[in-house]
């Protein structure tokens, strides 16, 4: 089963590039930028990665991102993630980045996007990996700040596919960003949003009815409202589920209670993703393996999840066809 998971080509639809910042690279960049970080050893860093909730994690995540200053830093960060994609057979990825995490510290939008773009071109060239960018607004900040970010993004509009909404969910409902999402859609960005990770089902309703999202990030808590489940199925909205993240942030007590299989059984188009792999202990294959073992998922289930990842990506119809052919090549190999 693990070989099957590893061999399958996959798409990742929920990944924060700042969350792929491995401690080793963080030390290296902190040193070259002469920034103090509150850890002396990699072991100390790993010990700090014990979270009791989303906010606990976010505090450490923003602190880590604080060492990123130069275009080269963003390039190095993204190249390290693409290398993991290559190792995990992720052939298409939709990468979220949080401009405000950097612009709030005085780093130019341009520095961030140029570093990421340089890595994207190189990853395509070196490993054939396709990737799209999702610019995520930080929901603990104001809608005005999101509008400022939207404005800064416009010269780079052709490089960005989608807008998202992340950070502290409780107390920051999707409706707070109604206007900026409308304006973002007018600029051609596809809307997605984190909803129902920690927040209540009302936030998922708002994400779909008010922000009119094309996909829901996390969305696990939709199972608490049968009408919502029916609506998600009816509107054919995919969920980008992140098993190891859910476990590490205590949204799931033990993996055997993870809602993934229930979501699939309800007819929801769920996908598996790594969210912030450097913080939650694993990239794509590790997420698949963890949830497969805990929930005893069949090969059919794995195949459904992988097909969902391509079908509900923002790739073109033509690209999707090619991706699915590659998936079936591997399936046939394993069946022969
Ligand atoms: N949830 C909300 N905000 C985030 C996350 C997440 O899982 N990762 C990075 N920012
Ligand atoms: Zn996320």
């Amino acid at each position: 089963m693990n070989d099957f998971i590893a061999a399958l080509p996959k798409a990742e639809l929920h990944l924060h590039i700042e969350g792929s910042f491995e401690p080793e690279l963080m030390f290296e960049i902190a040193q070259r930028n002469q920034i103090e970080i509150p850890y002396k050893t990699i072991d100390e860093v790993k010990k700090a990665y014990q979270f009791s909730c989303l906010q606990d994690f976010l505090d450490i995540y923003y602190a880590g991102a604080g060492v990123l200053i130069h275009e080269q830093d963003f390039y190095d960060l993204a190249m390290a993630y693409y290398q993991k994609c290559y190792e995990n057979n992720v052939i298409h990825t939709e990468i979220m980045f949080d401009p405000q995490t950097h612009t709030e510290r005085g780093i130019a939008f341009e520095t961030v996007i140029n570093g990421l773009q340089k890595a994207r071109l190189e990853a395509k060239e070196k490993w054939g990996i396709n990737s799209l960018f999702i610019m995520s607004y930080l929901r603990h900040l104001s809608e005005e700040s999101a509008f400022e970010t939207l404005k800064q993004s416009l010269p780079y509009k052709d490089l960005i596919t989608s807008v998202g909404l992340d950070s502290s969910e409780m107390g920051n409902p999707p409706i707070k960003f109604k206007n900026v999402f409308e304006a973002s859609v007018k600029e051609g960005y596809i809307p997605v949003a984190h909803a129902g990770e920690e927040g209540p089902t009302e936030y998922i309703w708002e994400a779909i009815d008010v922000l009119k999202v094309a996909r829901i990030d996390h969305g696990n808590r939709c199972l608490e409202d049968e009408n919502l489940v029916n609506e998600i199925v009816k509107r054919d909205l995919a969920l980008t589920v992140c098993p190891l993240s859910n476990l590490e942030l205590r949204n799931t007590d033990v993996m055997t209670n993870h809602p993934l299989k229930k979501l699939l059984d309800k007819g929801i188009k769920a996908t598996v993703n790594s969210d912030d792999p450097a913080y939650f202990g694993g990239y794509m294959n590790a997420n698949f393996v963890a949830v497969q073992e805990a929930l005893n998922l069949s090969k059919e289930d794995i195949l459904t999840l992988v097909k969902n990842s391509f079908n509900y990506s923002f790739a073109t119809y033509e690209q999707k066809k090619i991706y699915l052919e590659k998936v079936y090549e591997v399936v046939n190999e394993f069946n022969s």
Side-chain angles (χ1 to χ4, degrees), residues 14-16 54 57 61 96 136 165-167 194 197 217-218 240 242 245 249 274-276 280:
H14 184 155
L15 175 282
H16 303 264
L54 175 60
F57 153 70
Y61 162 94
M96 296 183 209
S136 295
L165 187 63
D166 62 6
S167 193
H194 284 54
E197 178 185 18
D217 293 316
H218 295 294
T240 62
C242 308
S245 166
L249 299 186
S274 71
D275 206 3
D276 302 283
F280 301 146

Side-chain angles (χ1 to χ4, degrees), residues 6 8-13 15 17 20 78-95 123 127-131 274 277 283-285:
L8 281 169
K10 290 166 283 280
E12 175 145 62
L13 307 181
L15 175 282
I17 198 65
S20 72
M79 278 314 282
Y81 167 64
Y82 284 119
Q83 166 91 39
K84 297 288 187 182
C85 288
Y86 172 68
E87 292 165 9
N88 283 257
N89 237 320
V90 172
I91 61 171
H92 175 99
T93 178
E94 305 192 351
I95 297 176
W127 295 303
I129 298 166
N130 292 318
S131 49
S274 71
Y283 288 79
M284 281 287 270
N285 290 347

Side-chain angles (χ1 to χ4, degrees), residues 17-116:
I17 198 65
E18 294 87 352
S20 72
F21 203 5
E22 290 288 345
E24 289 79 2
L25 184 60
M26 195 183 293
F27 271 96
E28 192 185 314
I29 295 181
Q31 202 163 36
R32 81 183 181 213
N33 288 343
Q34 300 185 315
I35 293 175
E36 289 271 345
I37 49 174
Y39 318 106
K40 285 196 196 65
T41 62
I42 304 279
D43 263 2
E44 264 186 45
V45 179
K46 299 226 155 123
K47 275 206 196 94
Y49 291 3
Q50 307 261 346
F51 314 112
S52 57
C53 62
L54 175 60
Q55 193 58 49
D56 236 26
F57 153 70
L58 288 170
D59 292 341
I60 288 184
Y61 162 94
Y62 293 126
V67 308
L68 300 162
I69 309 279
H70 306 290
E71 187 179 310
Q72 178 76 33
D73 305 340
F74 292 94
Y75 164 84
D76 288 345
L77 172 68
M79 278 314 282
Y81 167 64
Y82 284 119
Q83 166 91 39
K84 297 288 187 182
C85 288
Y86 172 68
E87 292 165 9
N88 283 257
N89 237 320
V90 172
I91 61 171
H92 175 99
T93 178
E94 305 192 351
I95 297 176
M96 296 183 209
F97 69 110
D98 297 338
Q100 290 151 297
T101 298
H102 314 296
T103 53
E104 289 268 304
R105 302 180 287 118
I107 311 296
F109 189 99
E110 160 184 37
T111 303
V112 181
I113 193 86
N114 286 347
L116 298 181

Side-chain angles (χ1 to χ4, degrees), residues 238-241 260 263-264 268-272 304-306 308-309:
L239 261 55
T240 62
V241 177
L260 182 66
L263 294 167
L264 289 176
I268 288 180
K269 305 298 180 183
T271 61
V272 166
T304 299
L305 290 163
V306 166
N308 286 347
S309 77

Side-chain angles (χ1 to χ4, degrees), residues 222-231 266:
C222 72
L223 288 168
E224 295 167 24
D225 177 348
E226 208 178 306
N227 290 333
L228 179 57
V229 167
N230 293 339
E231 204 54 34
K266 299 260 180 202

Side-chain angles (χ1 to χ4, degrees), residues 109-310:
F109 189 99
E110 160 184 37
T111 303
V112 181
I113 193 86
N114 286 347
L116 298 181
Q117 174 62 4
K118 190 161 169 249
R120 165 156 68 180
L121 295 175
E122 198 169 316
K124 172 71 180 168
E125 174 82 23
K126 199 167 170 186
W127 295 303
I129 298 166
N130 292 318
S131 49
L132 305 176
F133 293 158
I134 302 173
M135 173 175 78
S136 295
Y137 300 126
L138 297 183
R139 70 201 305 159
H140 68 275
L141 300 179
S142 66
E143 188 180 48
E144 192 188 346
S145 171
F147 262 113
E148 180 57 29
T149 304
L150 171 61
K151 199 168 114 200
Q152 289 166 354
S153 78
L154 295 181
Y156 307 95
K157 197 161 111 169
D158 293 346
L159 303 181
I160 301 165
T161 302
S162 167
V163 288
L165 187 63
D166 62 6
S167 193
S168 321
E169 188 178 9
M170 297 304 282
N172 295 297
I175 201 161
K176 179 176 162 188
F177 297 91
K178 179 180 190 289
N179 297 316
V180 76
F181 265 67
E182 266 172 23
S184 303
V185 168
K186 275 200 189 118
E187 295 293 349
Y189 296 131
I190 303 170
V192 300
H194 284 54
E197 178 185 18
E198 281 189 345
T201 51
E202 289 75 18
Y203 286 19
I204 306 178
W205 279 112
E206 279 180 19
I208 66 176
D209 282 339
V210 180
L211 304 187
K212 303 190 170 22
V213 294
R215 267 191 330 236
I216 301 160
D217 293 316
H218 295 294
N220 299 18
R221 290 193 61 188
C222 72
L223 288 168
E224 295 167 24
D225 177 348
E226 208 178 306
N227 290 333
L228 179 57
V229 167
N230 293 339
E231 204 54 34
I232 290 170
V233 172
K234 199 169 103 192
R235 298 194 203 182
D236 198 25
L237 294 168
L239 261 55
T240 62
V241 177
C242 308
L244 287 174
S245 166
N246 298 149
L247 189 68
E248 292 303 312
L249 299 186
R250 318 273 178 109
N251 296 311
T252 293
D253 55 354
V254 284
M255 202 57 107
T256 45
N257 286 336
H258 192 278
L260 182 66
K261 179 71 178 146
K262 281 193 199 94
L263 294 167
L264 289 176
D265 290 344
K266 299 260 180 202
I268 288 180
K269 305 298 180 183
T271 61
V272 166
N273 307 274
S274 71
D275 206 3
D276 302 283
Y279 293 89
F280 301 146
Y283 288 79
M284 281 287 270
N285 290 347
N287 272 275
F288 270 96
V289 166
V291 86
Q292 186 280 322
E293 284 175 353
L295 303 179
N296 197 22
L297 298 183
S298 65
K299 273 190 171 173
E300 275 308 307
D301 293 327
I302 299 296
L303 185 58
T304 299
L305 290 163
V306 166
K307 285 197 294 185
N308 286 347
S309 77
F310 290 112

